[in-house]
Amino acid sequence: MSEKAVRSPVRDILFRLVLVTLASLIIAVNMKSFVQAGDLFPGGFTGLARLTQRAAWEFWGVDIPFSPVYLLLNAVPAAISFRFVGKKFTLYSCQCIVLVSIFTDLVPTIPITEDLLLICVFGGLVTGFAVSLCLRARATSGGTDFIAIALSERKNIDAWNYILAGNAVMLTVAGLLFGWERALYSIIFQFTSTQTIRLLDPDSGRATLFIVTGRETVGGVCAQIQDTHHTATLIEGVGLYNGEPCVMIYTVVSVGESKGLVRKVRQADPKAFVNVIRTERVHGKFYRRPRD
């Protein structure tokens, strides 16, 4: 085994550890700068932990630390993820959960602005960016993200909008208990973060590729598609411009894989014609890269 092959798993582990740690710190700083400054309720179990803290202080005068509530809420989703998604994925995600809990209690409050609209928009953008870092490290920030990814892995469902709907229920409770203004502003925060995650998650979208190549180069092009573990359909045809025989290959891959695949196809056949179309929905078996 080559030295490069030996180092590769170590580099992957270090990459994931560093990325998850950075994302955890960003989430914690965002909590102390934007979320608490705006008295908002972010999405998922982070918002539920904040709601629990507020309710305990408002109605019983008890100041509950963020860490134990957040860790307890994530216990069941983590167990589900361990069973249905992957062991390594869940362990790296638990690293994020623990670090967010610790950092949130340790990082001092850093007020940036008092404008609620700016807090909601930029706080949501920062949260979405941090979660996308976790996703690139094949991990998650925990909570409802566990559920969304489990549904995506098992049922091939884009669950982020369903999570947004569940968050709306939580915000309704927050509005009834503490007033509607902060709850309504929190919807802007959650919508911004959810859409940012969908935009930056490389595995959330699908792309359809129509590749037109020659018969003598089709083998090299098909080899590039096979490396993605996706299947394809080959259609024999004739080019109407020059009347020469050609082959059209139809395949569907993730948006994150499409750019690299197009580059490799062009390397195999510099004259290949590739049409990339954004795919709204896919029914049937679709290979997903393991997150573990």
Side-chain angles (χ1 to χ4, degrees), residues 209-213 217-234 247-253 257-258 260-262 264-265 268 274 287:
L209 273 65
F210 293 95
I211 305 168
V212 180
T213 185
T217 54
V218 66
V221 172
C222 288
Q224 303 302 326
I225 297 174
Q226 289 174 351
D227 287 343
T228 67
H229 301 286
H230 293 285
T231 187
T233 301
L234 188 148
V247 176
M248 186 179 75
I249 303 170
Y250 163 85
T251 187
V252 180
V253 299
E257 295 171 310
S258 63
L261 180 57
V262 170
K264 291 179 180 179
V265 167
V274 184
Y287 173 80

Side-chain angles (χ1 to χ4, degrees), residues 3-197:
E3 185 181 354
K4 182 178 179 181
V6 172
R7 288 201 309 263
S8 181
V10 176
R11 289 176 177 173
D12 182 64
I13 292 172
L14 290 176
F15 172 79
R16 296 175 75 174
L17 288 173
V18 170
L19 215 57
V20 169
T21 302
L22 177 61
S24 304
L25 182 60
I26 292 174
I27 292 172
V29 172
N30 188 53
M31 281 282 293
K32 302 304 284 281
S33 59
F34 288 107
V35 174
Q36 290 190 6
D39 196 21
L40 302 175
F41 299 96
F45 288 172
T46 305
L48 194 55
R50 282 269 302 158
L51 181 61
T52 303
Q53 284 183 298
R54 280 289 309 276
W57 177 256
E58 187 78 19
F59 300 109
W60 298 289
V62 178
D63 187 11
I64 302 177
F66 177 82
S67 299
V69 179
Y70 188 62
L71 292 172
L72 183 61
L73 290 173
N74 277 282
V76 174
I80 294 173
S81 176
F82 192 85
R83 172 67 176 84
F84 293 107
V85 180
K87 297 179 181 178
K88 291 181 181 178
F89 170 83
T90 305
L91 290 176
Y92 282 108
S93 301
C94 288
Q95 175 199 345
C96 181
I97 294 168
V98 172
L99 289 179
V100 167
S101 302
I102 295 173
F103 289 153
T104 301
D105 284 335
L106 293 180
V107 170
T109 302
I110 310 172
I112 295 177
T113 178
E114 296 181 357
D115 189 301
L116 271 178
L117 186 58
L118 289 177
I119 288 173
C120 293
V121 173
F122 285 97
L125 289 173
V126 171
T127 296
F129 172 72
V131 173
S132 71
L133 289 181
C134 287
L135 294 175
R136 288 186 180 277
R138 304 195 303 281
T140 183
S141 58
T144 51
D145 293 349
F146 276 139
I147 300 171
I149 291 173
L151 288 174
S152 179
E153 294 284 340
R154 305 289 293 186
K155 302 294 184 181
N156 198 27
I157 296 173
D158 183 1
W160 296 114
N161 282 337
Y162 294 100
I163 298 300
L164 183 62
N167 290 334
V169 175
M170 180 190 68
L171 291 178
T172 301
V173 175
L176 291 171
L177 292 177
F178 307 113
W180 291 104
E181 182 179 3
R182 302 295 175 173
L184 293 175
Y185 271 112
S186 296
I187 292 177
I188 300 175
F189 179 96
Q190 292 186 14
F191 178 81
T192 304
S193 62
T194 301
Q195 298 307 311
T196 303
I197 294 168

